[in-house]
Amino acid sequence: MRRSSSSEAIGLERFAKLGIRRDLDLILHLPLRYEDETRLIPIGDTRAGDHAQVQGQVTRAEVTLRPRKNLLVDIDQDGARMTLRFLNFYSSQVRQFTEGQWIRAIGEVRSGLFGREMLHPRYRLVEPDTPLSKRLSPVYPSGAGISQTMIRVAVRKALQQYQWPETLPESLGRRLRQQAGGMGGSTDSALRLLHAPPVDVSHAALAEKSHPAWQRIIFDELLAQQLSLRRARLSRGTQQAHGLPRLPLPQASEAPGRSDLVAGLIASLPFALTAAQRRVVGEIGQDLALEVPMNRLLQGDVGSGKTVVAALAACQAIAAGFQVALMAPTEILAEQHSRKLAPMLEALGVRCAWLAGSVKDADKRKVRAAIAAHQVDLVVGTHALIESTVQFARLGLAIIDEQHRFGVEQRLKLRAAGWQERIPHQLMMSATPIPRTLAMSYYADLDVSVIDELPPGRQPIQTRLLGAGRRDELIERIREAVAEGRQVYWVCPLIEESETLDLQTAIDTREDLAAALAPLEVGLLHGRMPAAEKQSVMARFVAREVPVLVATTVIEVGVDVPNASLMVIEHAERFGLAQLHQLRGRVGRGTAQSICVLLYQGPLSETGKARLKTMYETQDGFEIARRDLQIRGPGEFLGARQSGLPLLRFADLERDADLVEIARDMATDMLRDYPELADKHLHYWLGGREEFLKA
């Protein structure tokens, strides 16, 4: 589609900041709310806090210089007076406000020093009998340099030039009206109503997005998302990967041969796989054996044993003669994977390597050369794995841990690193359980395996809420835990003093605890430390040489120290639910009773109360994720600022769960029976931005 004349009229660059690049994007730029300019409120009837439109004659216009430069305009209507106050204005504006001039202004009424006033109202010069608007006035999402008037003019022009085409086949339209009662009309009529609602429309229905026009737009958005995800899944079926022969899991009674990597790894484990782990290994193994690239998400609560499952998948690939890349978002997590997996796999003859930003340049060159020469079977690392200097000889499987922390381009780079123009299988892992509506919406193109069982012997973690005033009691409890041979985490949200947040910092906390717990050693771990120093501190903690570790959220994922049984989270009210759940999962990994103390500073906000209440009430990761989705929304939940997934602008996954299901079913039918209309729908809604969905 050509560049839009309406967007060109006010500058395409300005509109691009709002994500508007086409006339179609302007038409989809729907209002946040509406102002009622269909009626006038007498000035004498207005009250502080009202959002009102008033009209009156100018009685005075004066520029004052104290306490700062202001333009004050007094207007009068039948003896009732109101002041319009402008802090930023031009000299030409001052000249507009001549005595006797009629002004129509809309804004929030405030109680000023000399009576009613409005601060920076929208206004226009009128005659006493200037007609009122017959429709509600839209208020659009805006940005610097783009006024509401500019957007309204551009949207009006776009609506005059284009009619939104109907992309839903008639048969599916009838089905939609049957399944979603009350939804009627075309997409075009719905869009036009939402840009300029008639005065008699329900304000509440517009605000709650329950009006039939909103419901149609929400459905169309969900349908576009489902079509794009399902088409990505279908296109994957036409791509080729190398089939990696499946190695059956040995039964408990069998004595596996060491030549079988999968059986050898299982035999070397100091524990038996859970039934859930065996089931998931089977699901992944079946996918790897196919010549269609696997795109599977492995999710499981903290401590459920995802790493072992990933290692068994790696063994299947390596036994078939292929390389495996395991990429993690932080060096601490990547190093933890390397430290856990390398000894087990090297004992079976697997050649392992480590590649991260902290590795010396000379060592990096050696590792890269070994990868290119297929002298490495498994390489564990961070973003360093996807640098252009890394060339895999025979990559068959890419494992991405905490996949939502990586950008789409980063994940696509690993997909492009296959051998003989075939795409490597991809296994993504997440310890953040995904609520059902989110899975249906954002992960419709993935196969999902869930480890829904914790290893035997794990005791539930006790969660306790403690006000900051009881800090001394907590320190005494730490001393007792160390005396019993246990280790302690103390997590802080900041590294050093902040002028804006009055939080106890990791550095100060370490000093305070070291003094209070002397002669016990208190370690410190944070993201700004050199990688070698971080690894040294962690190694000493794992070796039980350091009984207490003060850390920032660098220990949020992956850190596994079974002897640590007490977790203290400082300023717990400042953390999100997902972080609190992850941090709590760092303890409870041994057989001893573990405790997580949420140390909070009052007074708590409503959100803070809701988070701490959730953590106290449940350890169910799926329930926590459901509540987290309610609090934060899908964008932050998914880390979507990094993911590149097209966020749902209008739909709400909790509120619109029924429409998600309808859209999911119709997307399947539409791709099968009406592929041209499906293409058309995707063009209008996504404008060719589907590549990101393939990661």
Side-chain angles (χ1 to χ4, degrees), residues 228-242 287 290-295 415 422-425 445-447 694:
S228 60
L229 289 169
R230 291 189 173 277
R231 194 157 76 171
R233 187 182 187 120
L234 290 171
S235 71
R236 200 172 71 246
T238 66
Q239 297 167 339
Q240 285 192 308
H242 292 281
D287 278 4
L290 301 175
E291 293 190 354
V292 175
M294 177 178 75
N295 198 32
R415 282 173 57 90
R422 295 199 176 193
I423 294 173
H425 297 282
D445 67 324
L446 295 180
D447 296 302
K694 298 176 183 176

PDB file of all heavy atoms in Angstrom, residues 228-242 287 290-295 415 422-425 445-447 694:
ATOM      1  N   SER A 228      -1.771 -15.532  12.328  1.00  0.00           N
ATOM      2  CA  SER A 228      -0.325 -15.416  12.116  1.00  0.00           C
ATOM      3  C   SER A 228       0.425 -16.530  12.826  1.00  0.00           C
ATOM      4  O   SER A 228       1.364 -17.116  12.265  1.00  0.00           O
ATOM      5  CB  SER A 228       0.172 -14.047  12.590  1.00  0.00           C
ATOM      6  OG  SER A 228      -0.097 -13.865  13.961  1.00  0.00           O
ATOM      7  N   LEU A 229      -0.002 -16.857  14.047  1.00  0.00           N
ATOM      8  CA  LEU A 229       0.683 -17.915  14.790  1.00  0.00           C
ATOM      9  C   LEU A 229       0.438 -19.281  14.150  1.00  0.00           C
ATOM     10  O   LEU A 229       1.352 -20.098  14.028  1.00  0.00           O
ATOM     11  CB  LEU A 229       0.214 -17.911  16.249  1.00  0.00           C
ATOM     12  CG  LEU A 229       0.689 -16.722  17.090  1.00  0.00           C
ATOM     13  CD1 LEU A 229      -0.056 -16.678  18.418  1.00  0.00           C
ATOM     14  CD2 LEU A 229       2.181 -16.794  17.336  1.00  0.00           C
ATOM     15  N   ARG A 230      -0.783 -19.513  13.730  1.00  0.00           N
ATOM     16  CA  ARG A 230      -1.086 -20.814  13.124  1.00  0.00           C
ATOM     17  C   ARG A 230      -0.438 -20.953  11.748  1.00  0.00           C
ATOM     18  O   ARG A 230      -0.023 -22.044  11.362  1.00  0.00           O
ATOM     19  CB  ARG A 230      -2.604 -21.022  13.049  1.00  0.00           C
ATOM     20  CG  ARG A 230      -3.197 -21.208  14.424  1.00  0.00           C
ATOM     21  CD  ARG A 230      -4.646 -21.626  14.432  1.00  0.00           C
ATOM     22  NE  ARG A 230      -5.022 -21.915  15.803  1.00  0.00           N
ATOM     23  CZ  ARG A 230      -4.797 -23.078  16.418  1.00  0.00           C
ATOM     24  NH1 ARG A 230      -4.210 -24.059  15.761  1.00  0.00           N
ATOM     25  NH2 ARG A 230      -5.141 -23.265  17.670  1.00  0.00           N
ATOM     26  N   ARG A 231      -0.352 -19.850  11.018  1.00  0.00           N
ATOM     27  CA  ARG A 231       0.321 -19.923   9.723  1.00  0.00           C
ATOM     28  C   ARG A 231       1.813 -20.168   9.926  1.00  0.00           C
ATOM     29  O   ARG A 231       2.441 -20.896   9.136  1.00  0.00           O
ATOM     30  CB  ARG A 231       0.090 -18.638   8.922  1.00  0.00           C
ATOM     31  CG  ARG A 231       0.478 -18.811   7.476  1.00  0.00           C
ATOM     32  CD  ARG A 231      -0.211 -17.828   6.568  1.00  0.00           C
ATOM     33  NE  ARG A 231       0.377 -16.499   6.676  1.00  0.00           N
ATOM     34  CZ  ARG A 231       0.068 -15.494   5.860  1.00  0.00           C
ATOM     35  NH1 ARG A 231      -0.832 -15.683   4.906  1.00  0.00           N
ATOM     36  NH2 ARG A 231       0.625 -14.322   5.998  1.00  0.00           N
ATOM     37  N   ALA A 232       2.396 -19.578  10.986  1.00  0.00           N
ATOM     38  CA  ALA A 232       3.801 -19.848  11.291  1.00  0.00           C
ATOM     39  C   ALA A 232       3.999 -21.325  11.605  1.00  0.00           C
ATOM     40  O   ALA A 232       4.990 -21.945  11.194  1.00  0.00           O
ATOM     41  CB  ALA A 232       4.247 -18.990  12.475  1.00  0.00           C
ATOM     42  N   ARG A 233       3.022 -21.902  12.300  1.00  0.00           N
ATOM     43  CA  ARG A 233       3.120 -23.326  12.633  1.00  0.00           C
ATOM     44  C   ARG A 233       3.013 -24.188  11.379  1.00  0.00           C
ATOM     45  O   ARG A 233       3.754 -25.154  11.201  1.00  0.00           O
ATOM     46  CB  ARG A 233       2.013 -23.678  13.626  1.00  0.00           C
ATOM     47  CG  ARG A 233       2.105 -25.092  14.176  1.00  0.00           C
ATOM     48  CD  ARG A 233       0.927 -25.359  15.106  1.00  0.00           C
ATOM     49  NE  ARG A 233       1.111 -26.641  15.751  1.00  0.00           N
ATOM     50  CZ  ARG A 233       1.207 -26.820  17.061  1.00  0.00           C
ATOM     51  NH1 ARG A 233       1.178 -25.781  17.867  1.00  0.00           N
ATOM     52  NH2 ARG A 233       1.356 -28.018  17.570  1.00  0.00           N
ATOM     53  N   LEU A 234       2.092 -23.819  10.483  1.00  0.00           N
ATOM     54  CA  LEU A 234       1.940 -24.574   9.239  1.00  0.00           C
ATOM     55  C   LEU A 234       3.181 -24.453   8.359  1.00  0.00           C
ATOM     56  O   LEU A 234       3.609 -25.422   7.725  1.00  0.00           O
ATOM     57  CB  LEU A 234       0.705 -24.077   8.473  1.00  0.00           C
ATOM     58  CG  LEU A 234      -0.653 -24.422   9.090  1.00  0.00           C
ATOM     59  CD1 LEU A 234      -1.773 -23.700   8.354  1.00  0.00           C
ATOM     60  CD2 LEU A 234      -0.884 -25.930   9.077  1.00  0.00           C
ATOM     61  N   SER A 235       3.771 -23.243   8.321  1.00  0.00           N
ATOM     62  CA  SER A 235       4.959 -23.053   7.482  1.00  0.00           C
ATOM     63  C   SER A 235       6.131 -23.868   8.021  1.00  0.00           C
ATOM     64  O   SER A 235       6.976 -24.334   7.259  1.00  0.00           O
ATOM     65  CB  SER A 235       5.338 -21.573   7.414  1.00  0.00           C
ATOM     66  OG  SER A 235       5.859 -21.128   8.641  1.00  0.00           O
ATOM     67  N   ARG A 236       6.158 -24.050   9.345  1.00  0.00           N
ATOM     68  CA  ARG A 236       7.224 -24.874   9.920  1.00  0.00           C
ATOM     69  C   ARG A 236       7.118 -26.311   9.430  1.00  0.00           C
ATOM     70  O   ARG A 236       8.110 -27.017   9.285  1.00  0.00           O
ATOM     71  CB  ARG A 236       7.161 -24.813  11.447  1.00  0.00           C
ATOM     72  CG  ARG A 236       8.459 -25.212  12.121  1.00  0.00           C
ATOM     73  CD  ARG A 236       8.450 -24.959  13.611  1.00  0.00           C
ATOM     74  NE  ARG A 236       7.600 -25.862  14.336  1.00  0.00           N
ATOM     75  CZ  ARG A 236       6.496 -25.522  14.979  1.00  0.00           C
ATOM     76  NH1 ARG A 236       6.103 -24.269  14.976  1.00  0.00           N
ATOM     77  NH2 ARG A 236       5.769 -26.404  15.631  1.00  0.00           N
ATOM     78  N   GLY A 237       5.864 -26.748   9.152  1.00  0.00           N
ATOM     79  CA  GLY A 237       5.666 -28.101   8.658  1.00  0.00           C
ATOM     80  C   GLY A 237       6.224 -28.314   7.264  1.00  0.00           C
ATOM     81  O   GLY A 237       6.448 -29.450   6.845  1.00  0.00           O
ATOM     82  N   THR A 238       6.463 -27.227   6.532  1.00  0.00           N
ATOM     83  CA  THR A 238       7.042 -27.341   5.191  1.00  0.00           C
ATOM     84  C   THR A 238       8.564 -27.213   5.213  1.00  0.00           C
ATOM     85  O   THR A 238       9.215 -27.410   4.196  1.00  0.00           O
ATOM     86  CB  THR A 238       6.474 -26.241   4.271  1.00  0.00           C
ATOM     87  OG1 THR A 238       6.912 -24.952   4.745  1.00  0.00           O
ATOM     88  CG2 THR A 238       4.953 -26.275   4.258  1.00  0.00           C
ATOM     89  N   GLN A 239       9.116 -26.839   6.369  1.00  0.00           N
ATOM     90  CA  GLN A 239      10.570 -26.706   6.495  1.00  0.00           C
ATOM     91  C   GLN A 239      11.185 -28.052   6.878  1.00  0.00           C
ATOM     92  O   GLN A 239      10.491 -28.960   7.343  1.00  0.00           O
ATOM     93  CB  GLN A 239      10.911 -25.649   7.548  1.00  0.00           C
ATOM     94  CG  GLN A 239      10.414 -24.255   7.180  1.00  0.00           C
ATOM     95  CD  GLN A 239      10.478 -23.295   8.354  1.00  0.00           C
ATOM     96  OE1 GLN A 239      10.520 -23.705   9.508  1.00  0.00           O
ATOM     97  NE2 GLN A 239      10.474 -22.011   8.061  1.00  0.00           N
ATOM     98  N   GLN A 240      12.489 -28.135   6.716  1.00  0.00           N
ATOM     99  CA  GLN A 240      13.156 -29.405   6.991  1.00  0.00           C
ATOM    100  C   GLN A 240      14.184 -29.265   8.101  1.00  0.00           C
ATOM    101  O   GLN A 240      14.858 -28.233   8.235  1.00  0.00           O
ATOM    102  CB  GLN A 240      13.839 -29.925   5.727  1.00  0.00           C
ATOM    103  CG  GLN A 240      12.857 -30.497   4.701  1.00  0.00           C
ATOM    104  CD  GLN A 240      13.584 -31.247   3.615  1.00  0.00           C
ATOM    105  OE1 GLN A 240      14.520 -30.722   3.008  1.00  0.00           O
ATOM    106  NE2 GLN A 240      13.176 -32.483   3.354  1.00  0.00           N
ATOM    107  N   ALA A 241      14.251 -30.295   8.905  1.00  0.00           N
ATOM    108  CA  ALA A 241      15.289 -30.416   9.928  1.00  0.00           C
ATOM    109  C   ALA A 241      15.884 -31.809   9.780  1.00  0.00           C
ATOM    110  O   ALA A 241      15.373 -32.655   9.043  1.00  0.00           O
ATOM    111  CB  ALA A 241      14.697 -30.231  11.322  1.00  0.00           C
ATOM    112  N   HIS A 242      16.978 -32.036  10.462  1.00  0.00           N
ATOM    113  CA  HIS A 242      17.564 -33.373  10.474  1.00  0.00           C
ATOM    114  C   HIS A 242      16.863 -34.205  11.539  1.00  0.00           C
ATOM    115  O   HIS A 242      16.750 -33.791  12.694  1.00  0.00           O
ATOM    116  CB  HIS A 242      19.062 -33.298  10.779  1.00  0.00           C
ATOM    117  CG  HIS A 242      19.856 -32.659   9.675  1.00  0.00           C
ATOM    118  ND1 HIS A 242      20.209 -33.329   8.526  1.00  0.00           N
ATOM    119  CD2 HIS A 242      20.347 -31.405   9.545  1.00  0.00           C
ATOM    120  CE1 HIS A 242      20.894 -32.518   7.735  1.00  0.00           C
ATOM    121  NE2 HIS A 242      20.990 -31.340   8.328  1.00  0.00           N
ATOM    122  N   ASP A 287       9.574 -35.553  18.791  1.00  0.00           N
ATOM    123  CA  ASP A 287       9.740 -34.397  17.903  1.00  0.00           C
ATOM    124  C   ASP A 287      11.116 -34.392  17.249  1.00  0.00           C
ATOM    125  O   ASP A 287      11.259 -34.108  16.057  1.00  0.00           O
ATOM    126  CB  ASP A 287       9.567 -33.090  18.691  1.00  0.00           C
ATOM    127  CG  ASP A 287       8.107 -32.725  18.875  1.00  0.00           C
ATOM    128  OD1 ASP A 287       7.248 -33.516  18.459  1.00  0.00           O
ATOM    129  OD2 ASP A 287       7.826 -31.649  19.440  1.00  0.00           O
ATOM    130  N   LEU A 290      11.743 -36.420  14.081  1.00  0.00           N
ATOM    131  CA  LEU A 290      11.095 -36.036  12.834  1.00  0.00           C
ATOM    132  C   LEU A 290      11.997 -35.125  12.003  1.00  0.00           C
ATOM    133  O   LEU A 290      12.876 -34.444  12.535  1.00  0.00           O
ATOM    134  CB  LEU A 290       9.773 -35.313  13.132  1.00  0.00           C
ATOM    135  CG  LEU A 290       8.731 -36.101  13.933  1.00  0.00           C
ATOM    136  CD1 LEU A 290       7.538 -35.215  14.250  1.00  0.00           C
ATOM    137  CD2 LEU A 290       8.294 -37.346  13.167  1.00  0.00           C
ATOM    138  N   GLU A 291      11.736 -35.076  10.716  1.00  0.00           N
ATOM    139  CA  GLU A 291      12.493 -34.185   9.835  1.00  0.00           C
ATOM    140  C   GLU A 291      11.770 -32.852   9.642  1.00  0.00           C
ATOM    141  O   GLU A 291      11.904 -32.186   8.623  1.00  0.00           O
ATOM    142  CB  GLU A 291      12.751 -34.877   8.484  1.00  0.00           C
ATOM    143  CG  GLU A 291      13.692 -36.065   8.613  1.00  0.00           C
ATOM    144  CD  GLU A 291      14.141 -36.590   7.268  1.00  0.00           C
ATOM    145  OE1 GLU A 291      13.627 -36.105   6.245  1.00  0.00           O
ATOM    146  OE2 GLU A 291      15.004 -37.490   7.238  1.00  0.00           O
ATOM    147  N   VAL A 292      10.997 -32.488  10.630  1.00  0.00           N
ATOM    148  CA  VAL A 292      10.336 -31.177  10.705  1.00  0.00           C
ATOM    149  C   VAL A 292      10.898 -30.496  11.946  1.00  0.00           C
ATOM    150  O   VAL A 292      10.984 -31.120  13.009  1.00  0.00           O
ATOM    151  CB  VAL A 292       8.800 -31.337  10.831  1.00  0.00           C
ATOM    152  CG1 VAL A 292       8.138 -29.983  11.040  1.00  0.00           C
ATOM    153  CG2 VAL A 292       8.247 -32.039   9.608  1.00  0.00           C
ATOM    154  N   PRO A 293      11.310 -29.226  11.853  1.00  0.00           N
ATOM    155  CA  PRO A 293      11.950 -28.606  13.011  1.00  0.00           C
ATOM    156  C   PRO A 293      11.025 -28.524  14.221  1.00  0.00           C
ATOM    157  O   PRO A 293       9.899 -28.027  14.123  1.00  0.00           O
ATOM    158  CB  PRO A 293      12.339 -27.208  12.515  1.00  0.00           C
ATOM    159  CG  PRO A 293      11.568 -26.992  11.262  1.00  0.00           C
ATOM    160  CD  PRO A 293      11.295 -28.329  10.684  1.00  0.00           C
ATOM    161  N   MET A 294      11.497 -29.046  15.343  1.00  0.00           N
ATOM    162  CA  MET A 294      10.757 -28.944  16.596  1.00  0.00           C
ATOM    163  C   MET A 294      10.743 -27.486  17.051  1.00  0.00           C
ATOM    164  O   MET A 294      11.724 -26.763  16.924  1.00  0.00           O
ATOM    165  CB  MET A 294      11.425 -29.814  17.676  1.00  0.00           C
ATOM    166  CG  MET A 294      10.762 -29.705  19.046  1.00  0.00           C
ATOM    167  SD  MET A 294      11.528 -30.769  20.304  1.00  0.00           S
ATOM    168  CE  MET A 294      13.039 -29.858  20.646  1.00  0.00           C
ATOM    169  N   ASN A 295       9.610 -27.075  17.570  1.00  0.00           N
ATOM    170  CA  ASN A 295       9.497 -25.744  18.167  1.00  0.00           C
ATOM    171  C   ASN A 295       8.687 -25.926  19.444  1.00  0.00           C
ATOM    172  O   ASN A 295       7.491 -25.688  19.483  1.00  0.00           O
ATOM    173  CB  ASN A 295       8.797 -24.779  17.203  1.00  0.00           C
ATOM    174  CG  ASN A 295       9.037 -23.325  17.560  1.00  0.00           C
ATOM    175  OD1 ASN A 295      10.095 -22.989  18.072  1.00  0.00           O
ATOM    176  ND2 ASN A 295       8.069 -22.476  17.299  1.00  0.00           N
ATOM    177  N   ARG A 415      18.164 -20.143  14.825  1.00  0.00           N
ATOM    178  CA  ARG A 415      17.420 -20.924  13.838  1.00  0.00           C
ATOM    179  C   ARG A 415      18.142 -20.960  12.498  1.00  0.00           C
ATOM    180  O   ARG A 415      18.032 -21.917  11.740  1.00  0.00           O
ATOM    181  CB  ARG A 415      16.024 -20.323  13.634  1.00  0.00           C
ATOM    182  CG  ARG A 415      15.034 -20.662  14.717  1.00  0.00           C
ATOM    183  CD  ARG A 415      13.750 -19.880  14.512  1.00  0.00           C
ATOM    184  NE  ARG A 415      13.156 -20.127  13.210  1.00  0.00           N
ATOM    185  CZ  ARG A 415      12.266 -21.092  12.955  1.00  0.00           C
ATOM    186  NH1 ARG A 415      11.899 -21.896  13.916  1.00  0.00           N
ATOM    187  NH2 ARG A 415      11.756 -21.236  11.757  1.00  0.00           N
ATOM    188  N   ARG A 422      19.240 -26.884   6.594  1.00  0.00           N
ATOM    189  CA  ARG A 422      18.115 -27.375   7.389  1.00  0.00           C
ATOM    190  C   ARG A 422      18.086 -26.627   8.722  1.00  0.00           C
ATOM    191  O   ARG A 422      19.121 -26.220   9.244  1.00  0.00           O
ATOM    192  CB  ARG A 422      18.218 -28.880   7.621  1.00  0.00           C
ATOM    193  CG  ARG A 422      18.106 -29.663   6.321  1.00  0.00           C
ATOM    194  CD  ARG A 422      17.749 -31.111   6.566  1.00  0.00           C
ATOM    195  NE  ARG A 422      17.557 -31.838   5.314  1.00  0.00           N
ATOM    196  CZ  ARG A 422      16.999 -33.032   5.230  1.00  0.00           C
ATOM    197  NH1 ARG A 422      16.567 -33.637   6.327  1.00  0.00           N
ATOM    198  NH2 ARG A 422      16.858 -33.627   4.064  1.00  0.00           N
ATOM    199  N   ILE A 423      16.907 -26.467   9.256  1.00  0.00           N
ATOM    200  CA  ILE A 423      16.726 -25.670  10.475  1.00  0.00           C
ATOM    201  C   ILE A 423      16.946 -26.549  11.702  1.00  0.00           C
ATOM    202  O   ILE A 423      16.412 -27.670  11.773  1.00  0.00           O
ATOM    203  CB  ILE A 423      15.310 -25.057  10.488  1.00  0.00           C
ATOM    204  CG1 ILE A 423      15.186 -24.045   9.346  1.00  0.00           C
ATOM    205  CG2 ILE A 423      15.002 -24.380  11.821  1.00  0.00           C
ATOM    206  CD1 ILE A 423      13.787 -23.499   9.164  1.00  0.00           C
ATOM    207  N   PRO A 424      17.705 -26.083  12.670  1.00  0.00           N
ATOM    208  CA  PRO A 424      17.885 -26.893  13.878  1.00  0.00           C
ATOM    209  C   PRO A 424      16.594 -26.971  14.688  1.00  0.00           C
ATOM    210  O   PRO A 424      15.757 -26.060  14.642  1.00  0.00           O
ATOM    211  CB  PRO A 424      18.973 -26.133  14.659  1.00  0.00           C
ATOM    212  CG  PRO A 424      18.926 -24.744  14.145  1.00  0.00           C
ATOM    213  CD  PRO A 424      18.490 -24.831  12.727  1.00  0.00           C
ATOM    214  N   HIS A 425      16.431 -28.070  15.381  1.00  0.00           N
ATOM    215  CA  HIS A 425      15.319 -28.184  16.321  1.00  0.00           C
ATOM    216  C   HIS A 425      15.520 -27.144  17.425  1.00  0.00           C
ATOM    217  O   HIS A 425      16.652 -26.786  17.764  1.00  0.00           O
ATOM    218  CB  HIS A 425      15.275 -29.588  16.920  1.00  0.00           C
ATOM    219  CG  HIS A 425      15.028 -30.669  15.910  1.00  0.00           C
ATOM    220  ND1 HIS A 425      13.784 -30.949  15.388  1.00  0.00           N
ATOM    221  CD2 HIS A 425      15.888 -31.541  15.307  1.00  0.00           C
ATOM    222  CE1 HIS A 425      13.870 -31.940  14.526  1.00  0.00           C
ATOM    223  NE2 HIS A 425      15.144 -32.323  14.454  1.00  0.00           N
ATOM    224  N   ASP A 445       1.556 -21.177  18.338  1.00  0.00           N
ATOM    225  CA  ASP A 445       2.375 -21.848  17.317  1.00  0.00           C
ATOM    226  C   ASP A 445       3.371 -22.819  17.930  1.00  0.00           C
ATOM    227  O   ASP A 445       4.160 -23.424  17.220  1.00  0.00           O
ATOM    228  CB  ASP A 445       3.122 -20.812  16.473  1.00  0.00           C
ATOM    229  CG  ASP A 445       4.166 -20.065  17.268  1.00  0.00           C
ATOM    230  OD1 ASP A 445       3.903 -19.801  18.461  1.00  0.00           O
ATOM    231  OD2 ASP A 445       5.237 -19.751  16.723  1.00  0.00           O
ATOM    232  N   LEU A 446       3.358 -22.969  19.247  1.00  0.00           N
ATOM    233  CA  LEU A 446       4.324 -23.840  19.915  1.00  0.00           C
ATOM    234  C   LEU A 446       3.663 -25.114  20.411  1.00  0.00           C
ATOM    235  O   LEU A 446       2.478 -25.122  20.751  1.00  0.00           O
ATOM    236  CB  LEU A 446       4.943 -23.133  21.126  1.00  0.00           C
ATOM    237  CG  LEU A 446       5.808 -21.897  20.900  1.00  0.00           C
ATOM    238  CD1 LEU A 446       6.298 -21.374  22.234  1.00  0.00           C
ATOM    239  CD2 LEU A 446       6.978 -22.230  20.009  1.00  0.00           C
ATOM    240  N   ASP A 447       4.454 -26.173  20.461  1.00  0.00           N
ATOM    241  CA  ASP A 447       4.065 -27.342  21.240  1.00  0.00           C
ATOM    242  C   ASP A 447       4.577 -27.106  22.652  1.00  0.00           C
ATOM    243  O   ASP A 447       5.699 -26.620  22.845  1.00  0.00           O
ATOM    244  CB  ASP A 447       4.684 -28.611  20.650  1.00  0.00           C
ATOM    245  CG  ASP A 447       4.165 -28.881  19.249  1.00  0.00           C
ATOM    246  OD1 ASP A 447       2.937 -29.005  19.094  1.00  0.00           O
ATOM    247  OD2 ASP A 447       4.981 -28.952  18.311  1.00  0.00           O
ATOM    248  N   LYS A 694       7.801 -16.079  14.196  1.00  0.00           N
ATOM    249  CA  LYS A 694       8.412 -17.369  13.894  1.00  0.00           C
ATOM    250  C   LYS A 694       9.521 -17.732  14.872  1.00  0.00           C
ATOM    251  O   LYS A 694      10.138 -18.771  14.734  1.00  0.00           O
ATOM    252  CB  LYS A 694       8.958 -17.361  12.465  1.00  0.00           C
ATOM    253  CG  LYS A 694       7.857 -17.163  11.416  1.00  0.00           C
ATOM    254  CD  LYS A 694       8.443 -17.064  10.025  1.00  0.00           C
ATOM    255  CE  LYS A 694       7.350 -16.787   9.001  1.00  0.00           C
ATOM    256  NZ  LYS A 694       7.900 -16.601   7.652  1.00  0.00           N
TER     257      LYS A 694
END
